[in-house]
Structure formats: C-alpha cells, structure tokens
C-alpha cells in the first residue's frame, strides 16, 4: 500500500465527511411555511422518522460524493501529482502537470459540495432534499394538522372541555354562546384561541416537550404575553360600545395569535402522537376539519388498476378474436394470444394507469393544503379530466408515432391534435376515479351489493367505451384485418374493469 494511496484515501474520507456534514446542515435548514411563520421541520415529525430521513439523505449525498471522486471523476491523479512534487520539490513540474484531467475532478467535487450547502430554489439537490422530507412525511402531517386546527369548528368540541376552558381563565372573557357564533366574530376567535392555548398547556406540563417551548422560532414567550394581553383587550371590547376600527384591529391581532398557537400545537400534536390515528383523534377532539376521504396504501390501488387494465386487454382482445373467427370472418382467422397482446397491455397501462397515478399524486398534494372541506370537489374532478386527457394524448403521440407509424420526424403539436380522440376515454375515467375517491366504501356493504355495483359500473362504462371508440376509430386506416372491431371490444373490457375496480376504502380518524 503506497503513500499516495493512503493520502488519496484520507482525502476521500475528508471529502465524504464534509459532504455528510453539509447534507446534515442543509437538511436541518429547510423551513416549512405555516401561515406567515416559517418553522424548522424537525418540530413536525416524530424523532424516529426525522432521523431516518436525515440519515438517508446524508448517506446518499456521501455515497454520491464518494462515487464521483473515486470512480467517475477520480481525484487520485491530482493527489499523486501533488505528493510526487512534495517528494522532489520541483514545483515547476506541478504547474506543468495541472491539466484538465486533474483540475476538472477537483472543480466538480468543489461544486458538488457547494450545491449541497447552497440554499436556492434553483438548486437541484435541494429539490431532492425536499423530496426526502416529503417521503418521510416530515412536513406533510404538520401542514394537514395546522390547516385542520386553524379552520376548526368549536361547535363540535365537547361541552366539558368548553366548561374547563372557561373555568381556567383568570379574567372571565368567554360566554357559553361564544363557541356557537360565526367564525368571523371576535367572540368566536377568542374562544378558539382559548381552546388552543388550553390544549398547549397540557403539553407544557410534560418535560419531554420542553424543547418546543424553549425553541425561539416557536415563540412560546410571545404567545403567553400576547394571550394575556388579549384577554384584557377582549374584556374591554365586550364592555365598550361597538367601534368598527377597534374591532377590525382586534380581529387582526386575534388571527395572528391563532396562527402562532396552531403552529405550536401542530408541532406538539405530530411529535407527541404515537400513530396517525392518535393525531387525528386529537384534531377531531378540538373540532378540526379532518378530511374523511384520506386514502391509505394508494400503491395497492395503482396495482389493482394495472391488473384490471392487463386483464381487460387480454379478455377484450381474445374474446374479440374468438367472435371474429367464429361469426364474422371464419375464413380469415386472427391469431389468439401473441406478442401483439403484450404490446397492447403495455400501451394500455401507459394510456390509462399512468394518468390515474397522476390523479393520486395530485389529490395528495392538493388535499395536504386544503383548508375548507366539502363533500364533493367538482373543480378538482374537472382538472383531473384535463390532466388525464393531456397525459394520455401525449402518451398516444409518443407511442404511436415512434413505434407504430415509425416516422423519423414529426410535428408534436400537429400529432397531438390528430391523436386527441385517444385521450377522451382516459380523461373520462380519470374524472370518474377522482369522483369515486370521495365515495368511500361502507363497511356494511354485503358481498352481493359489492358485486352488483361493480357489475353495473362495468356495463355502464363499457357501453360508454364502445360509443367513444366507435367515434375514435371511424376513420382509422386499417392495417390488419378488422382492427377496429378488436379495438372496440378491448376498450369495452378495459374501461369496464377499471370502472368496476374504482372502489376505495378510506382511513377515518375513529378507525
């Protein structure tokens, strides 16, 4: 083992350690914007999840740096040149030996370390860092809990808790009817703040949460001062004559205090809860708007839709071929299961399952930041239809133009307009899937009821598919015998099975 090798190994370890340390610092710097206040992410995750996330990110960055400087653009030639120069003392040889092969790896290694630590929205490594945050649900639960708390309805709070809050006030400033008033009134906002503050006090008495109350960014000291001052202001406001300007100013101050209280309480609830069910049980106890249609294990639904698509292609094509050979053109039989069927399966998965997966992702991102809850979100359904149409038509353009028509050069916009008809069915099924997500399955449904509903959806959507496909294939240039008949029959089964599979079970807070 030579001296050059040992020195190069030491340089590698130092650089890798620097990458790990910078990644650690960068991971802790990300701030989550809740309302008007930025907050560090470690206060919105259970300790185990946070440290698993930070270890994953730092280890990945260290491995990438090691591979970059050991295999892809090794620093070894530069280290060897420097060591040999130190031995001989001929510094002129060092200057002559500094060519691109030795300087470029050093520049790239330095830039990589710089990008790890560079806080900028244009930094691609920070996008990956934020993805790691999201993968371990570090900011996700905080945003959901914060939005639920800040829009909570006090009328849903237990009466004993209301009486307890009123009894703890040093200055009587809450009337029993304040919890039932409009959320835009001073009385309601103050009752809301009292409820949040009282809940936070339960955590303040527990030493395991002491670091939250000592963290300057969570502003516990400012909250206490503002809460006590607000108590006096509300009493004075109630006793005085109505005054528009004073009322508006007081409402602004109460909203600011509500944001601080919800931010601190969200961190305490997420960090202090042993499970997701416990988080939402606490939020519901405080009157929070818990989204009832929160899907769990969405990857299972994607796999179900994938299987339904594959089964639909196999059944549709084989049954269509059987009907064709038996009744239509027995003298010109079509081949049964073949390599063509596998190609159809791959194409159908890209056309239908990929847009549905985009629906799942979009729904997760939208509902994380959704404050107001509704039974139906028709604007979202329409948006998903548009997204499904764009994704499926784009897939059709790329697949058909590059594999079926085999054109060396084509105009994307012109091809997109020509292939729009193939995006109609995927768009409709995307909108239907998004709609069905807000129609959770009932636990009381019998197997017969489930099968009947699935069969009705299969027949209804299969009929829609036949109508749409007859239009889409009206001017189809037939390359093989009765391709149109096979396409329509296959679409009937694919769309029918996708619609029949659109049955979702949701995670409810009381589960």
């Amino acid at each position: 083992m030579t001296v050059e090798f040992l020195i190069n190994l030491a340089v590698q370890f130092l650089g890798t350690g620097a990458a790990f340390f910078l990644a650690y610092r960068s991971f802790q710097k990300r701030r989550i914007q809740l309302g008007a206040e930025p907050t560090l992410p470690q206060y919105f995750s259970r300790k185990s999840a946070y440290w698993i996330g930070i270890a994953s990110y730092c280890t990945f960055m260290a491995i990438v740096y090691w591979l970059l400087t050991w295999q892809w653009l090794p620093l070894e030639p530069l280290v060897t040149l420097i060591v040999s120069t130190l031995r001989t003392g001929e510094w002129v040889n060092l200057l002559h030996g500094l060519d691109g092969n030795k300087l470029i790896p050093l520049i790239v290694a330095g830039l990589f370390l710089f990008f790890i630590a560079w806080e900028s929205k244009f930094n691609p490594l920070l996008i990956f860092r934020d993805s790691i945050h999201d993968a371990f649900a570090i900011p996700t639960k905080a945003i959901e809990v914060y939005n639920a708390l800040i829009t909570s309805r006090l009328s849903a709070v237990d009466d004993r808790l209301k009486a307890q809050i009123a009894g703890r006030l040093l200055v009587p400033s809450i009337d029993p009817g304040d919890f039932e008033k409009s959320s835009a009134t001073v009385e309601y906002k103050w009752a809301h703040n009292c409820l949040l503050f009282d809940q936070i006090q339960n955590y303040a008495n527990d030493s395991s949460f002491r670091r939250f109350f000592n963290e300057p960014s969570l502003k516990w000291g400012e909250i206490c001062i503002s809460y006590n001052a607000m108590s006096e202001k509300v009493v004075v406001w109630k006793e005085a004559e109505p005054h528009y300007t004073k009322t508006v100013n007081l409402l602004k101050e109460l909203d600011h205090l509500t944001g601080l209280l919800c931010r601190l309480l969200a961190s305490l609830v997420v960090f202090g809860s042993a499970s997701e069910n416990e988080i939402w049980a606490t939020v519901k106890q405080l009157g929070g708007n818990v989204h009832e249609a929160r899907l769990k294990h969405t990857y299972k639904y994607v796999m179900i839709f994938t299987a339904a698509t594959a089964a639909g292609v196999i059944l549709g094509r084989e049954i269509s071929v059987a009907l064709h050979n038996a009744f239509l053109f027995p003298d010109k039989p079509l081949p049964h299961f073949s390599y063509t069927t596998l190609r159809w399966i791959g194409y159908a998965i890209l056309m239908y399952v990929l847009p549905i997966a985009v629906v799942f992702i979009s729904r997760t991102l939208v509902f994380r930041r959704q404050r107001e809850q509704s039974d139906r979100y028709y604007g979202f359904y329409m948006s998903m239809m548009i997204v499904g149409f764009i994704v499926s038509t784009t897939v059709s353009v790329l697949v058909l133009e590059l594999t079926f028509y085999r054109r060396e050069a084509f105009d994307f916009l012109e091809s997109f307009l020509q292939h729009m008809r193939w995006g109609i069915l995927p768009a409709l099924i995307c909108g239907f899937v998004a709609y069905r997500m807000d129609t959770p399955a009932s636990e009381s449904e019998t197997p017969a009821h489930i099968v009947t509903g699935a069969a009705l959806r299969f027949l209804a959507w299969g009929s829609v598919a036949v109508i749409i496909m007859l239009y889409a294939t009206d001017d189809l240039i037939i390359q093989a015998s009765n391709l149109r008949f096979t396409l329509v029959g296959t679409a009937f089964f694919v769309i029918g099975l996708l619609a029949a599979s659109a049955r979702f079970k949701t995670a409810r807070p009381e589960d």
Side-chain angles (χ1 to χ4, degrees):
M1 191 175 294
T2 63
V3 175
E4 287 85 351
F5 177 81
L6 291 176
I7 294 176
N8 183 52
L9 193 63
V11 170
Q12 287 292 132
F13 276 113
L14 287 175
T16 304
F20 190 95
F21 176 75
L22 292 174
Y24 173 80
R25 293 287 301 273
S26 175
F27 198 88
Q28 290 190 316
K29 283 182 180 180
R30 186 192 182 191
R31 294 179 178 270
I32 304 165
Q33 195 75 19
L34 294 182
E37 302 290 339
T39 307
L40 296 174
Q42 61 260 41
Y43 298 108
F44 291 118
S45 173
R46 289 185 293 279
K47 186 178 292 186
S48 58
Y50 181 77
W51 285 107
I52 291 174
I54 198 171
S56 302
Y57 177 69
C58 295
T59 302
F60 182 82
M61 288 294 105
I63 291 174
V64 171
Y65 177 85
W66 181 276
L67 292 174
L68 180 68
T69 56
W70 187 267
Q71 292 290 335
W72 301 329
L73 292 172
L75 293 172
E76 187 271 335
L78 177 62
V79 174
T80 301
L81 176 63
I82 294 175
V83 171
S84 62
T85 301
L86 291 174
R87 280 178 175 173
T88 60
E90 298 179 359
W91 298 102
V92 176
N93 294 335
L94 175 63
L95 295 177
H96 288 299
L98 291 176
D99 54 12
N101 292 332
K102 299 180 180 62
L103 290 178
I104 290 178
L106 179 64
I107 295 172
V108 173
L111 286 175
F112 184 78
L113 295 177
F114 171 77
F115 275 105
I116 293 177
W118 184 36
E119 292 290 329
S120 171
K121 62 181 180 180
F122 302 107
N123 187 354
L125 293 184
L126 295 194
I127 297 175
F128 177 75
R129 180 197 69 181
D130 296 347
S131 300
I132 294 292
H133 274 94
D134 296 338
F136 288 90
I138 290 172
T140 303
K141 292 294 181 294
I143 295 171
E144 291 179 346
V145 172
Y146 175 85
N147 289 338
L149 290 175
I150 209 164
T151 58
S152 62
R153 285 301 307 165
L154 302 187
S155 57
V157 177
D158 185 75
D159 291 336
R160 289 178 298 176
L161 184 56
K162 296 177 183 178
Q164 173 184 306
I165 295 169
R168 289 183 179 181
L169 292 173
L170 298 177
V171 180
S173 55
I174 296 180
D175 297 324
D178 290 350
F179 294 93
E180 309 295 332
K181 291 187 176 182
S182 169
S183 59
T185 60
V186 171
E187 294 89 343
Y188 182 91
K189 290 181 182 292
W190 173 239
H192 189 192
N193 284 339
C194 292
L195 171 68
L196 297 171
F197 188 84
D198 183 80
Q199 187 69 19
I200 291 173
Q201 287 280 37
N202 297 331
Y203 292 97
N205 299 327
D206 190 338
S207 59
S208 61
F209 295 95
R210 182 57 51 196
R211 70 187 186 96
F212 290 91
F213 298 94
N214 294 333
E215 169 59 39
S217 67
L218 293 177
K219 302 182 179 181
W220 173 238
E222 178 182 332
I223 289 174
C224 292
I225 295 172
S226 178
Y227 180 79
N228 292 329
M230 206 63 62
S231 177
E232 301 283 349
K233 290 182 179 181
V234 171
V235 172
V236 173
W237 178 86
K238 284 188 173 184
E239 294 176 350
E241 293 292 330
H243 191 281
Y244 176 78
T245 303
K246 292 181 180 179
T247 302
V248 171
N249 291 335
L250 185 57
L251 288 171
K252 290 180 180 179
E253 294 177 4
L254 287 170
D255 286 337
H256 177 70
L257 178 59
T258 302
L260 294 178
L261 288 167
C262 288
R263 193 169 65 112
L264 176 56
L265 184 56
S267 66
L268 293 168
V269 170
V270 173
F271 184 84
S273 299
S275 65
E276 185 174 351
N277 287 340
E278 187 176 335
I279 290 175
W280 294 113
T282 304
V283 172
K284 187 175 182 180
Q285 181 186 5
L286 299 174
N289 282 330
V290 180
H291 288 294
E292 297 294 337
R294 293 185 298 111
L295 295 177
K296 296 185 70 175
H297 309 303
T298 53
Y299 70 93
K300 293 183 179 179
Y301 294 109
V302 175
M303 293 175 65
I304 290 173
F305 285 125
T306 302
T309 302
V313 171
I314 295 173
L315 288 174
R317 188 171 187 275
E318 296 311 304
I319 291 176
S320 298
V321 168
L323 292 174
H324 173 275
N325 295 344
F327 299 104
L328 296 180
F329 298 97
D331 55 330
K332 297 179 180 179
L334 295 175
H336 279 277
F337 186 84
S338 63
Y339 176 71
T340 304
T341 305
L342 298 179
R343 288 195 305 169
W344 282 30
I345 291 174
Y347 176 61
I349 289 174
L350 290 175
M351 281 285 291
Y352 294 101
V353 181
L354 180 59
I356 290 175
V358 174
V359 172
F360 279 104
I361 296 171
S362 301
R363 190 175 193 275
T364 301
L365 296 175
V366 170
F367 276 48
R368 283 178 184 176
R369 293 159 177 81
Q370 183 83 23
R371 291 195 176 186
E372 299 299 329
Q373 188 174 5
S374 174
D375 293 333
R376 297 293 176 190
Y377 303 90
Y378 293 102
F380 177 75
Y381 308 150
M382 293 298 297
S383 300
M384 291 302 97
M385 290 177 63
I386 296 172
V387 170
F389 175 79
I390 294 174
V391 172
S392 59
T393 306
T394 302
V395 168
S396 178
V397 169
L398 296 178
V399 172
L400 294 181
E401 291 288 350
L402 297 179
T403 62
F404 186 74
Y405 296 112
R406 299 180 183 275
R407 298 176 183 173
E408 296 181 357
F410 68 95
D411 184 274
F412 180 82
L413 181 58
E414 181 182 351
S415 298
F416 188 91
L417 296 176
Q418 291 178 355
H419 292 286
M420 286 195 302
R421 52 188 172 176
W422 305 115
I424 298 175
L425 274 178
L428 293 175
I429 204 67
C430 282
F432 179 70
V433 168
Y435 176 85
R436 289 287 296 175
M437 288 179 186
D438 293 325
T439 310
S442 174
E443 297 294 339
S444 61
E445 284 184 327
T446 61
H449 186 272
I450 295 173
V451 172
T452 302
L456 290 175
R457 293 196 299 274
F458 175 83
L459 293 175
W461 276 93
S463 302
V464 172
V466 169
I467 296 172
I468 299 298
M469 284 301 291
L470 286 175
Y471 156 73
T473 59
D474 183 48
D475 59 346
L476 183 67
I477 299 176
I478 299 179
Q479 303 277 344
S481 176
N482 288 294
L483 176 61
R484 186 186 186 194
F485 178 79
T486 311
L487 284 174
V488 173
T490 304
F492 174 83
F493 281 90
V494 171
I495 299 301
L497 288 177
L498 285 175
S501 303
R503 181 179 182 271
F504 301 95
K505 295 183 67 175
T506 58
R508 298 179 185 275
E510 61 267 21
D511 287 347

